[in-house]
Amino acid sequence: MLRLLLKDKKFVSADCHVVGVLTNPASAQGRHKTPVPTPVSTVACEAGIPVFTPEHLDAAFRAQLIPLQADLLVCFAYGHLFGPKFLAMFSKGAVNLHPSLLPKYRGATPVPAAILNRDRETGISIQKIGLEMDAGDLLIQKKIILDGTETSGALLERCAYEGSVLLSDILYNTAEKGILPDAVPQTGEPSYTKMITKEDGRIKWDRSATEIDALIRAYTPEPGCWTLYGDLMLRILEAHVISGMDFDAVPGTVTDYDSREGILVKTGNGILAVNRLQLQAKKAMKCNDFMNGCRNFIGTVLD
């Protein structure tokens, strides 16, 4: 979202400046646990913007921010609560871009939640940041229609794009008038999302093909969905539901392979066609390449 904002003509014309970026520390990834910075950190470094990756937003860190003289805090997918002393540092306030139609799906995982629940629409909310999680007053909302094929990664990218356009307007108006636009309280019953773990991605084949398809899309790219092929972890990276087809078999049974549809797996209700997968310690493969190297796969019962 930062890259989009920095290229936005309205944001640039408002003479707005990003004076610093606050993000999470680099995380260890891959087999060799190489520290990898967050994407926003990479974009900020490319643009020559100072990057801060504190473990805690304590007094020592707040002291580092004073010379920046930042007027407004803008937050997207940071995943931490801000205390009153931190928020008080920004004279014009603080706003958060949340990828749901608040008060629905407050919390850290609103995008996977919308996909898991097979919602027909979700959206973007830009709100004032308060002390309670995602409960601040709303500046603007925009609906996004879902077609049932979205992954969390793709939907989050769309929310970042759409949100950057809305945010640019808010920042432009704030720069012109000196204050944030008027906001309205959230209405309706709030719902909350939970943190997602690797174990949540384990496929339970007694669930329906539609539910498993939604699970795979919701957990792409992270934490991913998996099952056991014997003693080995098998990641299911892409799949789709086969309409109007079913077999009499134990859920999890690899019933057939169709060169057009994929590897067919029996579920608790319906057939799931697996199109891309990754066996433990192997590279990700398309289904045809996997079947060429695993000719006895049909008849296997995945667990």
Side-chain angles (χ1 to χ4, degrees):
M1 192 181 76
L2 177 61
R3 180 178 281 117
L4 294 169
L5 198 60
L6 293 174
K7 292 181 178 180
D8 188 277
K9 293 180 180 179
K10 200 165 190 178
F11 176 77
V12 174
S13 68
D15 198 28
C16 296
H17 303 282
V18 181
V19 296
V21 165
L22 171 64
T23 185
N24 291 307
S27 59
Q29 296 183 18
R31 186 179 303 174
H32 302 292
K33 303 298 181 183
T34 304
V36 177
T38 62
V40 71
S41 175
T42 301
V43 174
C45 289
E46 291 171 354
I49 300 170
V51 175
F52 301 89
T53 58
E55 294 288 348
H56 305 285
L57 305 181
D58 53 17
F61 173 66
R62 294 196 298 272
Q64 295 180 48
L65 297 187
I66 292 174
L68 298 180
Q69 297 182 310
D71 298 310
L72 184 70
L73 171 69
V74 176
C75 179
F76 178 56
Y78 181 50
H80 300 276
L81 290 174
F82 300 110
K85 292 181 179 179
F86 184 79
L87 292 175
M89 299 186 68
F90 305 94
S91 59
K92 289 183 174 57
V95 299
N96 175 52
L97 194 160
H98 188 80
S100 81
L101 296 174
L102 289 170
K104 191 173 186 179
Y105 299 147
R106 293 178 180 176
T109 56
V111 170
I115 295 174
L116 275 175
N117 292 330
R118 287 166 280 159
D119 292 348
R120 294 186 177 181
E121 66 177 23
T122 186
I124 306 158
S125 302
I126 298 182
Q127 59 173 159
K128 288 185 174 181
I129 296 178
L131 298 181
E132 187 181 344
M133 180 181 65
D134 297 329
D137 291 350
L138 297 171
L139 293 163
I140 193 169
Q141 286 187 315
K142 181 177 181 178
K143 290 183 179 180
I144 294 176
I145 303 301
L146 304 179
D147 64 14
T149 64
E150 297 85 1
T151 65
S152 282
L155 182 53
L156 194 60
E157 284 188 10
R158 183 177 176 189
C159 288
Y161 173 77
E162 301 280 2
S164 69
V165 176
L166 298 179
L167 184 60
S168 177
D169 288 340
I170 289 173
L171 296 178
Y172 180 84
N173 291 331
T174 302
E176 277 201 328
K177 298 178 181 179
I179 58 172
L180 282 170
D182 293 336
V184 297
Q186 298 180 30
T187 58
E189 189 68 26
S191 60
Y192 297 88
T193 61
K194 69 180 186 72
M195 296 299 292
I196 298 170
T197 68
K198 179 181 176 180
E199 188 60 31
D200 290 324
R202 182 167 187 174
I203 296 172
K204 296 178 175 62
W205 292 104
D206 58 352
R207 298 172 71 177
S208 71
T210 302
E211 289 176 293
I212 295 171
D213 169 64
L215 186 79
I216 293 166
R217 292 185 292 107
Y219 291 172
T220 298
E222 294 293 339
C225 283
W226 58 279
T227 186
L228 289 180
Y229 171 37
D231 295 329
L232 298 176
M233 176 183 286
L234 179 65
R235 293 185 176 275
I236 308 298
L237 305 177
E238 292 179 15
H240 67 278
V241 178
I242 301 292
S243 300
M245 180 186 291
D246 210 346
F247 297 106
D248 184 15
V250 174
T253 301
V254 180
T255 59
D256 203 352
Y257 168 65
D258 184 300
S259 59
R260 293 171 298 176
E261 297 287 359
I263 299 168
L264 309 185
V265 184
K266 165 69 178 175
T267 72
N269 183 8
I271 297 296
L272 188 76
V274 177
N275 305 110
R276 193 163 166 267
L277 60 174
Q278 182 178 13
L279 191 59
Q280 184 175 325
K282 302 290 185 179
K283 293 182 179 180
M285 297 182 183
K286 292 183 179 179
C287 56
N288 57 330
D289 294 326
F290 182 88
M291 291 301 294
N292 287 336
C294 194
R295 297 184 179 278
N296 296 324
F297 196 51
I298 294 175
T300 297
V301 179
L302 303 174
D303 184 11

